[in-house]
Amino acid sequence: MTKGITGHEPNPRAIYADIIDLPHHQSKVHKHMSLYDRAAQFAPFAALTGYDDMVEEEARLVDNKIELDGSELEILDQKLAVIAKEIDKGRAPEVSITYFVPDLLKEGGSYQTITGVIKRVDNVSRKLVLERKEGLADMNVTIKISDILEIHGDIVDKGI
């Protein structure tokens, strides 16, 4: 309320004396609306549209990428060499690869395991190419060697 000319706030009882003591109006035609229903009618005007989605996304957990140490990298390189030799001999080694997939929306990602036949070890671009087709373009699956955590399979486990 605004202050009057004298600098004092006006007395609300004096201003609203004609209605202040009247009972709360209850419609005889419409039933009383619950507080939940009253709040729901204003939901389309929520000022924080998308806030719930943002909170849900922030709460979604992702993994950090594990960096392999020197000995682990050496074992991985040995397994890749065994795979490359098998491919050169005309054999198609089937392996299970656990690798890191970066998250598209936030820092981090997740580890996935895929089992398939290795088509090629590309040491130039540092990728593995699997004979497994995926996606709309039906392209071979490629995995960056730097994202690989583990490789398992009969040939590589025996060869190391």
Side-chain angles (χ1 to χ4, degrees), residues 44-45 53 55 57 77 91 114-115 117 128 140 145-146:
F45 303 104
D53 294 336
V55 169
E57 173 60 27
D77 284 341
R91 298 187 190 122
I114 187 171
T115 300
V117 174
L128 285 183
N140 289 320
I145 293 174
S146 61

Side-chain angles (χ1 to χ4, degrees), residues 8 26 30 35 37 45 54-55 69 81 85 88 90 97 99 116 128 145 152:
H8 299 284
Q26 291 288 331
H30 304 288
L35 289 177
D37 289 338
F45 303 104
M54 185 178 76
V55 169
D69 65 23
K85 284 180 187 176
D88 288 344
I97 302 169
Y99 64 104
L128 285 183
I145 293 174
H152 293 289

Side-chain angles (χ1 to χ4, degrees), residues 28-159:
K28 294 176 182 161
V29 179
H30 304 288
K31 71 176 195 164
H32 185 70
M33 186 181 286
S34 72
L35 289 177
Y36 179 80
D37 289 338
R38 284 187 56 79
Q41 72 181 346
F42 295 103
F45 303 104
L48 298 175
T49 303
Y51 179 75
D52 291 338
D53 294 336
M54 185 178 76
V55 169
E56 187 178 307
E57 173 60 27
E58 192 62 32
R60 187 172 56 86
L61 298 176
V62 293
D63 294 326
N64 291 323
K65 185 176 180 183
I66 298 169
E67 297 297 330
L68 300 178
D69 65 23
S71 62
E72 293 169 324
L73 285 171
E74 188 175 319
I75 291 169
L76 181 63
D77 284 341
Q78 289 173 359
K79 288 182 177 185
L80 291 171
V82 169
I83 292 169
K85 284 180 187 176
E86 290 297 313
I87 292 170
D88 288 344
K89 292 177 186 175
R91 298 187 190 122
E94 183 176 49
V95 296
S96 292
I97 302 169
T98 302
Y99 64 104
F100 185 76
V101 178
D103 194 283
L104 299 175
L105 301 176
K106 64 194 312 185
E107 190 72 27
S110 64
Y111 278 92
Q112 295 181 7
T113 301
I114 187 171
T115 300
V117 174
I118 303 293
K119 182 177 182 177
R120 185 173 76 243
V121 177
D122 188 342
N123 287 316
V124 175
S125 61
R126 301 287 296 156
K127 293 181 182 179
L128 285 183
V129 180
L130 281 76
E131 286 186 1
R132 188 174 179 165
K133 308 280 188 182
E134 283 188 357
L136 294 174
D138 202 29
M139 297 180 67
N140 289 320
V141 175
T142 60
I143 300 172
K144 287 198 262 179
I145 293 174
S146 61
D147 289 336
I148 297 174
L149 181 65
E150 297 177 329
I151 299 177
H152 293 289
D154 291 338
I155 293 172
V156 293
D157 292 336
K158 287 178 189 174

